[in-house]
Amino acid sequence: MGRWRDGTGELSVLDGAHAPVPLEIAASYRARTRGLLGRDGIEGALLLTPASSVHTFRMRFAIDVAHLDRRLRVVAVRTMRPGRLGAIRPRARHVLEAEAGAMAAWGLRPGCQVVIAAGQDLRT
């Protein structure tokens, strides 16, 4: 697999039971550092890549965090309140963030496979 670039796309859980979710991709250092800071919420999800951990310092809302491996399989899912430091997941290559409760509604849980359809060619 190649490297990702900043942009947009859609996220789907492979079971296909739920509609695709709007996705923002943060692949550059600047976009990953900014993440969800300064926002009051997000429609859909944010993919941080590469990343193996996150924090919620200075965040305004609680988030769901899913750690994904290289093949986009979910390693772990948890909800983080603002002001927390997440654990590093050694097998994680990507981190998916969404508003708290969203991932459960999408059926996203450890072991699930996700598919990302990029809006443009976002992989090099």
Side-chain angles (χ1 to χ4, degrees), residues 36-106:
L36 295 175
L37 293 176
R39 297 188 193 190
D40 292 322
I42 182 172
E43 282 295 319
L46 174 69
L47 177 72
L48 304 171
T49 179
S52 61
S53 68
V54 296
H55 67 82
T56 57
F57 299 120
R58 299 185 340 200
M59 298 258 320
R60 297 178 182 168
F61 58 99
I63 61 172
D64 284 344
V65 176
H67 293 84
L68 310 175
D69 67 10
R70 291 182 185 275
R71 294 188 175 104
L72 302 179
R73 185 167 301 277
V74 179
V75 175
V77 178
R78 70 173 298 194
T79 300
M80 294 178 65
R81 295 186 317 221
R84 304 289 183 213
L85 179 63
I88 295 173
R89 302 287 178 166
R91 290 184 20 226
R93 176 72 177 156
H94 316 282
V95 174
L96 195 60
E97 297 179 342
E99 285 195 34
M103 291 184 185
W106 303 334

Side-chain angles (χ1 to χ4, degrees), residues 18-39:
H18 298 83
V21 176
L23 180 70
E24 295 177 38
I25 300 170
S28 68
Y29 176 78
R30 175 174 274 179
R32 287 191 319 268
T33 302
R34 185 177 58 242
L36 295 175
L37 293 176
R39 297 188 193 190

